[in-house]
Each structure stands twice: as structure tokens, then as C-alpha cells.
Amino acid sequence: MPPTHEVLNQPPPLAGYDLYDADPVLAEALHREGAGWATERVRALGVLAGTPEAIAWAAAADASPPVLRTHDRYGRRVDEVGFHPAWHRLLGTAVSHGLHASPWRDPRPGAQVARAAGFHLWSQVEAGHGCPVSMTFAAVPALRASPELAAVWEPKLTTLAYDPVLAPVAGKAGALCGMAMTEKQGGSDVRANTTRAAPAGDGEWRLTGHKWFCSAPMSDAFLVLAQAPAGLSCFLVPRVLPDGGRNGFHLQRLKDKLGNRANASAEVELDGATGWLVGEPGRGLAAILEMVNHTRLDCVVGSAALMRQAVAQAAHHAAHRSAFGRRLADQPLMANVLADLAVESEAATLLAMRVAGAFDRAARDPAEAALRRLATAMAKYWVCKRAPAVAAEALECLGGNGYVEESGMPRLYREAPLNSIWEGAGNINSLDVLRVLARQPDGLAALLDEVAPARAAEPRLDRAAAAVERELAAAADPVGLQAGARRLVERLAVLLQGALLVRHGHPAVADAFCASRVAGDGGVAFGTLPSGLDLPAIVDRATPKVG
């Protein structure tokens, strides 16, 4: 090789490492939240996620977006979506590891936490295929509102077999489920939906209307909102009817999205589509919100996963590249940036896993149920809002290399805004927090109880908690705080993250978080942590050890 083509001072690819062992925050949370029994199962997925093969699947799936085929060669409607084989490898792996169903298959204590940890690891490979995984996971508790439907569909939705062929559910080895709520005239205001459902006898309904955004349209069935005589109701609409005929569920076009490109999202025409009622007539929003609550959890976990992978890539690059006579990681300013990113990532993972723990314990502990209701919306707002900023700064740590598709960083950057938009954008979740504060004060009490043990150990946290308590006590009605809702939700989320770090995190990370986020001694941009912090310890925790 001629001397001018010798490659120097370039980091090795971040591949061939164990994502689980590289993430002490996740490993510690798995045990603390009662899912230590799943360690080997979760670690196996972490090992697989770091292999060159899995990384190649992600690149191939992202580079080869799905293709819509509306009709066959004879003009018959088929409404099928074609995917690259790598997509099927990613999705099949997720299903075979139970990421779509394990808490329903084996509902032992810690099951929700174990599943969230696996979702956190595998989402770092490629996030798009996580959409059908998450919706299938969330559909099961919603379907249980109609036991007869659940008896037919739950065994197929919870099997570990991935079966992408469109066929009647009775003949499938496994099935996936999505949801169709959004319409072009209403968006988040689903009560404005115009899709109609008319009874057809024998428990069947006929749905007619248009859905503006339906993700993972290759799924076997969907929970669909439609206006029935009793009001907005929820229906299960399969793609293929029991007799083998295609349902009137027509894919009009696929969306050309900013990111999430390996996953298909479609506009759907319901042309007399056959459906079955889920839950009570006129109570469709309540029925589908059971699904939304679980998918919101996955938005939080998925955003924390994206942040973790972005920080891992940045820290790995800085550990192996030199500039101005020193490794980038040893340069004081770069160390500040990396540490700041790592602090944000660790706080996000801690909060995501704590919320998963609340999901796990809610059925048997009223305080956990109250915390789950408040913390889910709160974390959905805050963690998902932080992901784009982390992705952008981590990309910059790689310089021009980070702006090139081969690095994988552009995919993370394009993916980063998604979870903040899906399942209710920032304003929707902020207003949801206000409603919980107004109608279910036990949620705030549960959050403050969670923070209380850390307040005695950390004066900065104590002062911040006292300030929030005074503000809420002075408000006659929390719903009246709408204009400042985002700031309030941010403060509550930071308060809970700080408490979790003080109680369970690394001392250097907790100190940096409380100094910069709780006390406000840091700047707005990443890399503005105040002096006197143990930055090398924080950066070392964030850097994957390869080989």
C-alpha cells in the first residue's frame, strides 16, 4: 500500500462487544428492580446486539426501505408490504426473545423490567422494527377487555414464533398487532375522528373511513378507533378474515419519513372493513389508552436506548482517536462533553427502568400504580425530548465521520425525534401530567415519596423539591398551569432522575447531575459541566470495552 493510503489515527469499529456488560446502569437496575433472574437471558441479547452481523442487518434494513404492493398482476388488491431480509432477521430475533410478549407469557415479578432491559439492548441495533414489537406487546392488555377476542388472539400474539405471512389467525404460528387512531382532520384529538362503525350482526361491525398514520401496516390485526352509535369505540380489525378473504383494510401509500425508515407507516382506507368490538361501546378511548400506556413506556425505553448507543459511539471514538498530541477523551473540553452526555444517558436509563418497575408492581401496590400513572407521561415527555440533543452532540464528537452514513450516527440522529412525537407529542404528555396532578394527587405523593430518601443526602435536591412543592401548593388548580406545563414537567422529571441517581447511581454521575441539572450550575449546551467534578470516572463508565 502506498504511504499516502496508510490509514492512521482512525478508531476500530465498535463491534464484537457485549452491550449488557458495557452498561452498568442497566445491569444494576435489572437486579434492583427485581429481575435478576433474567440476567443471562438479557445478556445473551446484549451479546447478539454487539455482533457485526446484527450491526450489518441494521444498516441493510435502513438502506432498503419497505415497498408497497397494492395489487397483484391481475388487478386484485393485495395490500402487501415488502421488506428487506435484514428487517425480518431483526424482527424475528425480537420475537424469538419475547420482546413482544414475555410479561404475558411469564408474568412473574420483574417480568416487565426484564422485557424492558431486553428492549433497551436490542433497540440499540435498529429502532424501526421495535414499532410492531411494542404495539404487539401493548395490545394484549387492551384485548383482555374482551375475553372472547383475547382467547383467539392472545395465544398467537404471545408465541415466540415469527410468522410474516398474511393468513387467517387460526392458521398462523404467530401474529403481530398494530393500532390505527390518527386521522388527518384530528391528529391527537381522536374524539374528532370521522371513521364510522355500523353493526352487521353476529357481533361483527363494518368500519368505513380513513386513517392518516398507521405504523407497521404489515401487521396481522389493528386496534382501530371509530364512531359507533354509542360513541367513539375500539375495534379489532384483522388483515385477513377467518374465511381467508382479505379484509377491507386498504393501504393507500407509505409515508416518506424523516427516520424510522426500515419500518413502514401507511395511510389506510377502511372500506367496509370487518371488526370486532374491544371493551364497551362508547368507551373506545379508555380501551385503546391501555395500549397507549404500554407503548409510551417503550418510547421512554427506546429513547434511553438511543442515547446510550449514541454516547457509546462517541466515547469509543474519543478513546481511540488523537488530536493535538493527546487522545480526544483526555482533552479537558472533550471530556466535559462526553461526561455531560453520559450523565444524561445514565439518568434516562435509570428513569426508564424505574418506570418499568412501576409497571411490574402496579397491580399489587397502589403506590406503584399511582407512580406509574404520573411517571409514564412525565418520562415520555422528558426523556424523549432529550434524545435529539444527545444524538446531535454525540454525532459532533465524531466530527465529519459522524456525518457519514457508514458511521451509523445519521440513523440515530434521524430516529431521535420520533419517540417524542408518537403516542402523544410533548404538549399532550405535559397536559396529561397536569390532569394526573389535578385528579389523582396520590401520584404526586408517590413521586415525592420516591424522592424523599435522597433529599436528606443531597441538599441541592432538597431545595429543588421544596420549590416544586411550594409552586404546586400555591396553584389553585394544576390544570390552570397549562402555559407553564412543560417547565413543570421538566422539573418533576429532573427531580426524580436526580433522586434515582443519588440513591442508586455512581457518586460522580449523581454529583454532576445535581450540580448541572438540579442546581443549574451548568450551561444549556452539553460540555458545560461546572468544575470540580470527576469527569474521567464518568467517561470511563460510558466507554465500551471491546475485546
Side-chain angles (χ1 to χ4, degrees), residues 25 60 103 143 200 214 251 268 282 298 303 308 311 333 335 380 407 411 414 416 426 432 462 467 483 513 533:
V25 182
L143 279 176
C214 176
L251 308 183
V268 175
D298 280 359
S303 288
R308 171 56 195 154
V311 173
L333 188 52
K380 166 67 167 69
S407 71
R411 185 170 75 244
R414 290 192 300 269
D432 197 16
D462 183 54
F513 187 91
L533 302 173

Side-chain angles (χ1 to χ4, degrees), residues 410-478:
R411 185 170 75 244
L412 294 176
Y413 182 68
R414 290 192 300 269
E415 193 73 29
L418 176 66
N419 285 324
S420 191
I421 297 170
W422 283 7
E423 312 307 353
N427 285 354
I428 295 296
N429 280 274
S430 296
L431 295 175
D432 197 16
V433 169
L434 293 189
R435 281 190 291 272
V436 175
L437 293 174
R439 301 173 187 175
Q440 298 171 270
D442 53 345
L444 178 61
L447 186 147
L448 292 175
D449 285 346
E450 187 74 17
V451 174
R455 293 178 67 171
E458 176 50 71
R460 292 169 294 193
L461 199 66
D462 183 54
R463 289 192 292 270
V468 171
E469 287 176 317
R470 286 194 300 270
E471 179 178 335
L472 289 174
D477 177 9

Side-chain angles (χ1 to χ4, degrees), residues 78-421:
V78 292
D79 297 293
E80 295 179 352
V81 183
F83 292 88
H84 190 276
W87 159 272
H88 294 293
R89 297 296 298 270
L90 292 163
L91 185 50
T93 299
V95 170
S96 68
H97 282 79
L99 300 185
H100 69 307
S102 56
W104 319 130
R105 290 173 55 86
D106 181 13
R108 73 174 95 174
Q112 293 279 0
V113 174
R115 184 253 168 199
F119 192 79
H120 185 280
L121 292 169
W122 195 239
S123 294
Q124 293 182 55
V125 182
E126 195 281 321
H129 77 283
C131 181
V133 171
S134 179
M135 290 192 296
T136 301
F137 160 67
V140 172
L143 279 176
R144 287 176 176 174
S146 295
E148 291 184 4
L149 279 179
V152 173
W153 282 90
E154 186 170 335
K156 303 296 183 176
L157 295 174
T158 57
T159 181
L160 300 184
Y162 173 55
D163 183 355
V165 176
L166 279 176
V169 66
K172 286 182 65 74
L176 299 172
C177 187
M179 70 168 78
M181 293 193 296
T182 307
E183 297 185 6
K184 51 184 173 286
Q185 79 286 342
S188 295
D189 183 9
V190 294
R191 295 187 187 279
N193 283 6
T194 61
T195 297
R196 296 286 169 183
D202 296 326
E204 295 184 0
W205 294 73
R206 300 289 183 265
L207 280 69
T208 303
H210 185 80
K211 295 297 179 180
W212 185 237
F213 216 104
C214 176
S215 197
M218 79 299 158
S219 299
D220 297 284
F222 296 85
L223 293 187
V224 179
L225 288 180
Q227 301 288 355
L232 191 66
S233 302
C234 182
F235 300 88
L236 179 72
V237 179
R239 292 290 312 280
V240 181
L241 298 171
D243 64 4
R246 296 292 174 96
N247 204 355
F249 189 95
H250 303 317
L251 308 183
Q252 300 297 86
R253 63 171 177 165
L254 299 185
K255 298 287 192 179
D256 186 8
K257 297 171 294 184
L258 166 67
N260 201 247
R261 301 188 69 84
N263 177 43
S265 299
E267 292 176 29
V268 175
E269 192 78 25
L270 297 160
D271 184 11
T274 299
W276 285 265
L277 185 67
V278 176
E280 300 176 21
R283 296 275 299 161
L285 193 55
I288 209 162
L289 278 179
E290 183 62 32
M291 185 177 187
V292 169
N293 283 334
H294 284 81
T295 51
R296 281 181 175 177
L297 169 63
D298 280 359
C299 287
V300 178
V301 176
S303 288
L306 184 149
M307 284 192 256
R308 171 56 195 154
Q309 181 58 208
V311 173
Q313 293 287 345
H316 173 77
H317 179 88
H320 291 88
R321 185 170 174 84
S322 297
F324 310 110
R326 282 194 289 182
R327 289 189 318 153
L328 288 178
D330 296 329
Q331 303 280 1
L333 188 52
M334 178 59 82
N336 196 311
V337 172
L338 293 172
D340 214 354
L341 290 171
V343 166
E344 194 70 44
S345 172
E346 292 205 18
T349 298
L350 265 180
L351 181 55
M353 295 302 288
R354 179 62 185 91
V355 175
F359 270 76
D360 191 62
R361 295 182 286 272
R364 57 186 183 275
D365 187 334
E368 290 290 306
L371 181 64
R372 185 190 86 156
R373 180 70 183 89
L374 178 62
T376 302
M378 189 179 71
K380 166 67 167 69
Y381 169 79
W382 182 239
V383 173
C384 297
K385 274 279 177 278
R386 300 301 289 156
V390 169
E393 194 68 58
L395 183 154
E396 188 174 324
C397 290
L398 276 67
N401 285 338
Y403 208 69
V404 175
E405 286 290 341
E406 288 175 308
S407 71
M409 298 301 285
R411 185 170 75 244
L412 294 176
Y413 182 68
R414 290 192 300 269
E415 193 73 29
L418 176 66
N419 285 324
S420 191
I421 297 170

Side-chain angles (χ1 to χ4, degrees), residues 50-71:
T51 61
E53 292 80 8
I55 296 169
W57 296 342
D62 184 70
S64 304
V67 177
L68 174 62
R69 179 170 169 254
T70 56
H71 296 76

